[in-house]
Amino acid sequence: MNVKNRKCIRKLSLKSLYANRRRNLIAIFAIALTTLLFTSMFTIVLSLNASYETYQFRQVGGYAHGTFKDVSPEQAERIAAHPKVKAVGARKAIGITADGVFSKTPAEISYMDANCTKWSYATPTTGRMPESGKEVAMDTTALQLLGVTPELGAEVTVSYSITDKDQTAFTVTDTFTLVGYWDYDELMPVHYINISRDYADDIEAQAVKTGLQPFRTDLNVMLASGTNIQGQMEQVDTDLGYTWDSYTDPNSVRIGVNWGYTLSQLESQLDPELIIAIVAFLLLVIFTGYLIIYNIFQISVAGDIRFYGLLKTIGTTPRQLKRIIRQQALLLCLIGIPAGLLLGYGIGAVLMPVVLRSTQLDAGITTISTSPVIFLGSMLFALLTVLLSCSKPGKMAAKVSPVEAIKYTDAMQTKKKQRSTRGAKLHQMAFANLGRNKKKTVLVVLSLGTVGDTVQCAVCLCGRLQHGEVCILHDLRRFYRQHSRLFPFQPGR
């Protein structure tokens, strides 16, 4: 017979909660502590990832998702109109200077539009972008190398080598008017010397008259998502009827992926060992929270076991008893989870610089992630942990009979012990109390120990993901500087 008693069950849950307010505070604290653990860990991991990505972007020279290389105006227009492309930024490199004062770090002379300037960390903090004629913007270190004081309107003389798609041709020396500048970032692989479109077109026309090819224009893009960048860009080429694997086919639009994005690296380098490590870490996180909350609900149900026995005598079914315990847990989550989210995010943000200093990354690039994944993931993990934690106590309450509930005691059956003739001592009483329920003692010790293990595993896992890539970045940057003459321009951007 189906009896509509959900309202009655809900009322019983609320009344039982109200009658045990002190116990509820402990349960709320346990839920908040578990949520705090999840949130602070997600905050640190995602912030560490964001800081690592920022570090790589500065090493690469920009944070655009990718580049469609050597595009014509028509191709650029069609790519910009594709639904997978959110924004585009054009860049035309006309030359490079890697001699004299720029022998250590070369300088690239190019035209960038507003988007490309922003994505390449080349937006002037003082002044503006070049707009016409012989206007120029560059970083303060490049100005100092040229012996120019960073002042708007100053004259800057630059000698550089004209470079087309295939070769370095002749040298040009021109005097420009400084209209903007910014502080140089030591992680950047080159100095950007940005010129106006008018000047770039004029130099290109002169170069074509001497038999050179038109300068190459690259189209940097921001896509709808930072995942599967390679696949998205190939899909754009396919939809527009282009190929991407030929240097000679005029219908080929080659692509370059910004490997600074962690997800794009993981998609191409994910190995079974790393997958197992990530899954094991997530299971450890859930298990840690489970132990914390399970102990609270186990003690709670054990304390109310007589109450549940009385409910069974008046006809309450095992399913209804489980529902009472589950509803109580969800009501406590309404307070514990939001509190844990706020405290966990704050603690994670405070600890992030400390964690970053223990890595190879520069602490000056600390980036605190505001990804919704932090809050949604922590909330779902905490909720899942609470539901798992209250399932076994719910089964225990459902199985106990009214007669057993009256005689229930939390102590386990133990062997008969000899009486001491030396009297009771505090440490003996403490150990004796631990031995009353060895299962509970083991669970408490595990819950305390796994918290530290979880944090240590998080740091080790992040180090596994980042150590190799940071070393490679340093090697590539050093190689580029030592052999810059071999590279008329950077093909990856």
Side-chain angles (χ1 to χ4, degrees):
M1 183 174 63
N2 187 15
V3 181
K4 295 182 179 180
N5 55 7
R6 290 183 179 272
K7 187 176 180 181
C8 179
I9 297 299
R10 193 178 304 115
K11 189 173 181 180
L12 275 173
S13 298
L14 292 172
K15 291 290 186 181
S16 178
L17 278 177
Y18 185 77
N20 297 278
R21 282 167 286 185
R22 182 177 298 178
R23 186 196 65 193
N24 295 339
L25 290 176
I26 298 174
I28 290 173
F29 178 77
I31 294 172
L33 182 63
T34 303
T35 310
L36 183 150
L37 172 67
F38 292 149
T39 309
S40 59
M41 206 169 321
F42 276 120
T43 301
I44 291 173
V45 170
L46 292 184
S47 296
L48 191 59
N49 177 70
S51 300
Y52 173 58
E53 285 187 335
T54 301
Y55 182 88
Q56 290 192 108
F57 295 154
R58 289 162 60 186
Q59 289 262 4
V60 171
Y63 61 91
H65 284 144
T67 303
F68 289 96
K69 303 176 182 180
D70 195 9
V71 297
S72 66
E74 179 188 355
Q75 290 171 335
E77 185 176 349
R78 295 186 65 194
I79 291 171
H82 195 279
K84 285 187 178 294
V85 178
K86 288 177 59 180
V88 298
R91 179 174 185 263
K92 178 185 287 187
I94 69 169
I96 188 171
T97 173
D99 298 320
V101 295
F102 293 109
S103 59
K104 183 179 179 181
T105 303
E108 292 182 353
I109 294 83
S110 62
Y111 161 74
M112 297 183 185
D113 66 9
N115 280 342
C116 188
T117 300
K118 176 183 176 182
W119 300 338
S120 301
Y121 302 107
T123 302
T125 55
T126 301
R128 57 176 174 79
M129 295 167 51
E131 295 175 352
S132 62
K134 293 184 178 181
E135 295 181 339
V136 71
M138 63 180 70
D139 62 76
T140 53
T141 301
L143 289 170
Q144 292 171 3
L145 291 173
L146 293 170
V148 178
T149 302
E151 292 179 355
L152 297 180
E155 291 189 346
V156 183
T157 300
V158 180
S159 296
Y160 61 94
S161 300
I162 293 294
T163 303
D164 70 359
K165 299 176 183 178
D166 300 319
Q167 61 183 329
T168 298
F170 54 91
T171 301
V172 172
T173 300
D174 260 324
T175 300
F176 301 88
T177 301
L178 184 65
V179 296
Y181 56 87
W182 62 92
D183 292 332
Y184 176 63
D185 186 345
E186 293 293 337
L187 291 176
M188 296 293 284
V190 295
H191 295 284
Y192 287 129
I193 298 179
N194 292 343
I195 55 175
S196 67
R197 180 191 287 238
D198 293 341
Y199 181 79
D201 292 342
D202 183 53
I203 294 297
E204 183 178 34
Q206 295 179 33
V208 171
K209 287 180 180 180
T210 64
L212 298 181
Q213 298 184 39
F215 295 144
R216 162 179 155 175
T217 298
D218 290 338
L219 193 68
N220 295 331
V221 296
M222 294 298 288
L223 304 172
S225 169
T227 60
N228 191 23
I229 297 175
Q230 178 87 17
Q232 291 187 74
M233 296 184 71
E234 290 178 357
Q235 186 63 48
V236 171
D237 267 352
T238 301
D239 293 345
L240 299 178
Y242 304 136
T243 61
W244 57 83
D245 54 359
S246 173
Y247 283 82
T248 57
D249 185 359
N251 198 46
S252 176
V253 178
R254 292 176 292 115
I255 60 179
V257 175
N258 187 342
W259 37 268
Y261 283 94
T262 307
L263 286 177
S264 66
Q265 291 185 40
L266 289 177
E267 288 162 0
S268 61
Q269 301 176 9
L270 204 60
D271 58 87
E273 290 183 1
L274 186 58
I275 295 175
I276 293 173
I278 293 174
V279 172
F281 170 70
L282 292 177
L283 292 176
L284 178 62
V285 170
I286 295 177
F287 182 64
T288 301
Y290 171 82
L291 289 176
I292 296 173
I293 300 176
Y294 170 78
N295 286 325
I296 302 299
F297 280 102
Q298 179 78 8
I299 295 170
S300 173
V301 171
D304 290 343
I305 198 70
R306 291 177 178 83
F307 169 70
Y308 295 125
L310 290 174
L311 288 178
K312 293 194 76 172
T313 61
I314 60 175
T316 306
T317 65
R319 185 178 179 182
Q320 290 169 340
L321 289 177
K322 293 178 184 178
R323 189 184 302 162
I324 290 174
I325 295 173
R326 186 168 59 249
Q327 287 182 357
Q328 290 178 351
L330 293 176
L331 288 172
L332 295 174
C333 285
L334 292 177
I335 301 174
I337 290 180
L341 290 174
L342 294 176
L343 291 173
Y345 186 76
I347 291 174
V350 171
L351 292 179
M352 180 56 204
V354 179
V355 175
L356 197 62
R357 281 195 291 271
S358 66
T359 68
Q360 298 185 35
L361 303 180
D362 181 9
I365 61 169
T366 302
T367 303
I368 305 300
S369 175
T370 56
S371 172
V373 174
I374 295 174
F375 302 99
L376 291 177
S378 302
M379 183 174 64
L380 291 176
F381 270 81
L383 192 59
L384 175 63
T385 303
V386 169
L387 292 177
L388 288 174
S389 302
C390 69
S391 62
K392 190 171 181 180
K395 291 179 181 179
M396 183 183 76
K399 286 181 179 179
V400 69
S401 68
V403 176
E404 291 174 339
I406 298 298
K407 300 184 297 181
Y408 180 82
T409 175
D410 197 33
M412 297 179 66
Q413 294 292 333
T414 58
K415 296 181 180 179
K416 186 176 180 180
K417 296 183 180 180
Q418 295 181 353
R419 294 179 179 271
S420 173
T421 59
R422 294 172 294 176
K425 294 181 174 58
L426 289 177
H427 69 276
Q428 292 176 338
M429 294 173 65
F431 278 111
N433 192 47
L434 289 176
R436 290 179 66 246
N437 193 326
K438 295 180 180 178
K439 181 180 178 181
K440 184 190 294 185
T441 301
V442 171
L443 287 174
V444 171
V445 172
L446 280 176
S447 64
L448 294 174
T450 51
V451 175
D453 293 338
T454 303
V455 175
Q456 187 175 5
C457 287
V459 175
C460 292
L461 183 60
C462 291
R464 163 86 187 277
L465 293 174
Q466 296 168 12
H467 175 74
E469 288 84 352
V470 172
C471 294
I472 291 172
L473 283 170
H474 283 296
D475 293 341
L476 287 175
R477 187 168 183 243
R478 184 168 57 252
F479 178 81
Y480 181 88
R481 287 182 170 178
Q482 291 174 352
H483 304 280
S484 59
R485 291 178 180 82
L486 301 176
F487 304 95
F489 49 78
Q490 288 185 286
R493 293 201 304 273

